[in-house]
Amino acid sequence: MTRSRRRPARLVALTATATALALTAAACGSGGSDGGSTGAAAPSAAGAAPAALDLKAAGCPSTIVLQTDWNPESEHGGQYQLLGPNPKIDAGKKSVTGELTAHGGVDTGVKLEIRAGGPAIGFQTVTSQLYKDSGITLGYLGTDEQIALSKTQPTVAVLAGLEKSPQVIQWSPDKHPDWKTIADIGRTDTKVLYFQGASYMDYFTGSGILKKGQVDGSYDGTPTNFVASGGADAVQGFATSEPYTWSHEVRSWDKPLKYQLIADAGFNFYQQAIGIRKDKLDALKPCLSKLVPIMQQGIVDFMAAPAATNKLILDLVDKYNNGWVYSQGVADYAVQTMKSLGIVGNGADSTLGDFEDARLQKLIEILDPIYQSQGKPILSGLKPANLVDNSFLDTKIGLGT
């Protein structure tokens, strides 16, 4: 679904990529050779963890396994933030494991293993991994993917890792100085390159925002066709990546890009939501009641002071060595962009990571007829409550609180 289609569209293209808060991350440890380590948090506090942070006592697995949807990057920073000092890197398995630490270094009594997705899992969906490997505790989900698989592989999201999806349609401001929105593109016959199968494009063409005749699903993640058009085409991308990399690290383009977020054009799904298999929810409730607030705070801490965790992310990219190129420049740009565009942010209230029913209901109404027409019916009578559970969140944790 969306994430599995998102990232192949960035892999080759990058071969050339709040307010001060009360709690901040401490400095990271030193890097090493393959299988070495880099720490993202301060040393664990002495003695037992406070009851609210004791995940072992809450019945959490001894190692909480988180399956991500792509290679390490700053959009995942809030989760890598939770790794304690000197985590063990397994370059072969594309995973990293360390003590799960809270609030800048308190040992919670369990370990955290974060697995890379995308090429590391053969570009399969995270949902498929959750159902294939029962040892995975949590995974990154997109609510469009959740809706599509609600009948066959149901999942429940417990934390919105991103408030807005960073997906965009982008264009050359030199070639198209009058464009401000995706709808402006639809008033022309300009070709729009995208990765085939993206549900947002079915929405754009079905609603008339773009014409079916102007969209081209042959985008392969490289800037080649866009550059060959001289910037005449529009192309999908991510606000946290291509506007920086294509203008700084892709020599064949090396010019600015403008864009509009897909979320701001009407397809406002939750991307990188953290969730579990539906059939595991009841057993994990005691664990999630303590784990989810720790994960909320991890995002807050990362956004306040990302440098140490970004250093770990860059080290992991280097150790995994699978063709993914990720620079310090794009890591810094991604954090700045997530802040400025509200990609990471609070929901409608002051809570970070909550889900809005009205937003989810609108998405269900958009996607139900699309999936029906594709012969992939969703769960009959699907409601937001089937997809998400806000009950584990600490409503007092948010950016700026």
Side-chain angles (χ1 to χ4, degrees):
M1 307 312 178
T2 303
R3 268 290 200 171
S4 62
R5 293 179 179 127
R6 161 190 174 172
R7 298 307 192 169
R10 292 176 61 181
L11 179 59
V12 186
L14 295 179
T15 56
T17 279
T19 305
L21 300 166
L23 296 172
T24 61
C28 70
S30 60
S33 58
D34 208 9
S37 60
T38 301
S44 301
L53 305 180
D54 190 341
L55 297 181
K56 182 177 180 180
C60 289
S62 58
T63 299
I64 292 171
V65 179
L66 172 64
Q67 176 65 62
T68 70
D69 59 358
W70 194 242
N71 293 294
E73 57 184 353
S74 291
E75 291 96 315
H76 304 174
Q79 291 73 64
Y80 285 103
Q81 176 79 22
L82 300 177
L83 289 166
N86 303 312
K88 181 179 179 182
I89 300 170
D90 189 325
K93 294 182 178 179
K94 307 295 186 288
S95 66
V96 58
T97 305
E99 302 299 330
L100 197 162
T101 59
H103 303 330
V106 178
D107 189 342
T108 62
V110 302
K111 294 182 182 297
L112 173 64
E113 176 185 340
I114 302 178
R115 299 180 182 177
I121 56 174
F123 302 107
Q124 298 178 69
T125 66
V126 172
T127 302
S128 71
Q129 299 302 298
L130 290 173
Y131 273 85
K132 181 184 297 183
D133 184 349
S134 61
I136 299 173
T137 316
L138 302 161
Y140 284 5
L141 306 170
T143 45
D144 57 338
E145 178 180 318
Q146 287 187 274
I147 293 168
L149 299 175
S150 57
K151 189 173 183 179
T152 57
Q153 295 180 321
T155 53
V156 177
V158 296
L159 172 64
L162 301 179
E163 175 61 20
K164 274 188 175 183
S165 166
Q167 285 189 302
V168 299
I169 301 294
Q170 55 195 348
W171 60 85
S172 165
D174 291 337
K175 288 289 184 179
H176 306 289
D178 297 330
W179 288 358
K180 292 181 174 61
T181 66
I182 295 170
D184 291 336
I185 305 173
R187 297 185 184 100
T188 73
D189 293 324
T190 303
K191 183 187 293 186
V192 181
L193 301 167
Y194 76 103
F195 196 82
Q196 185 67 44
S199 54
Y200 71 80
M201 192 58 78
D202 292 325
Y203 164 70
F204 285 151
T205 56
S207 62
I209 294 173
L210 295 174
K211 304 180 186 74
K212 289 184 178 180
Q214 75 180 134
V215 301
D216 181 342
S218 65
Y219 183 55
D220 63 358
T222 76
T224 304
N225 290 338
F226 176 79
V227 172
S229 77
D233 295 346
V235 61
Q236 78 164 56
F238 288 79
T240 46
S241 178
E242 284 90 349
Y244 177 87
T245 57
W246 286 22
S247 62
H248 292 82
E249 299 176 1
V250 176
R251 293 182 181 178
S252 59
W253 182 245
D254 199 29
K255 301 180 188 70
L257 292 167
K258 294 290 187 181
Y259 58 83
Q260 185 185 24
L261 289 168
I262 287 168
D264 291 341
F267 195 81
N268 194 14
F269 73 108
Y270 289 95
Q271 189 162 14
Q272 200 178 300
I274 296 173
I276 63 171
R277 282 171 44 167
K278 189 177 183 66
D279 59 358
K280 290 189 172 186
L281 180 62
D282 286 343
L284 280 173
K285 280 183 176 180
C287 173
L288 292 171
S289 66
K290 292 187 178 181
L291 173 61
V292 171
I294 289 171
M295 299 187 82
Q296 286 177 273
Q297 188 64 48
I299 297 171
V300 171
D301 291 348
F302 172 74
M303 294 302 291
T309 298
N310 269 342
K311 186 175 186 294
L312 170 61
I313 287 169
L314 291 167
D315 191 38
L316 292 172
V317 170
D318 180 63
K319 297 292 195 304
Y320 293 173
N321 190 29
N322 66 350
W324 171 245
V325 177
Y326 201 69
S327 68
Q328 183 71 59
V330 74
D332 294 340
Y333 171 84
V335 174
Q336 174 190 349
T337 303
M338 288 190 290
K339 290 179 179 179
S340 64
L341 297 182
I343 290 169
V344 171
N346 301 334
D349 51 21
S350 59
T351 301
L352 183 140
D354 57 349
F355 299 92
E356 298 174 39
D357 281 357
R359 180 171 157 186
L360 290 164
Q361 184 60 42
K362 182 177 180 181
L363 192 66
I364 292 170
E365 293 168 1
I366 287 171
L367 289 173
D368 187 8
I370 290 173
Y371 293 140
Q372 291 283 358
S373 69
Q374 295 173 353
K376 303 172 183 176
I378 67 173
L379 181 70
S380 178
L382 184 68
K383 301 295 182 186
N386 300 126
L387 302 172
V388 302
D389 188 339
N390 284 325
S391 67
F392 306 108
L393 296 164
D394 184 337
T395 59
K396 298 184 296 297
I397 298 176
L399 294 179
T401 59

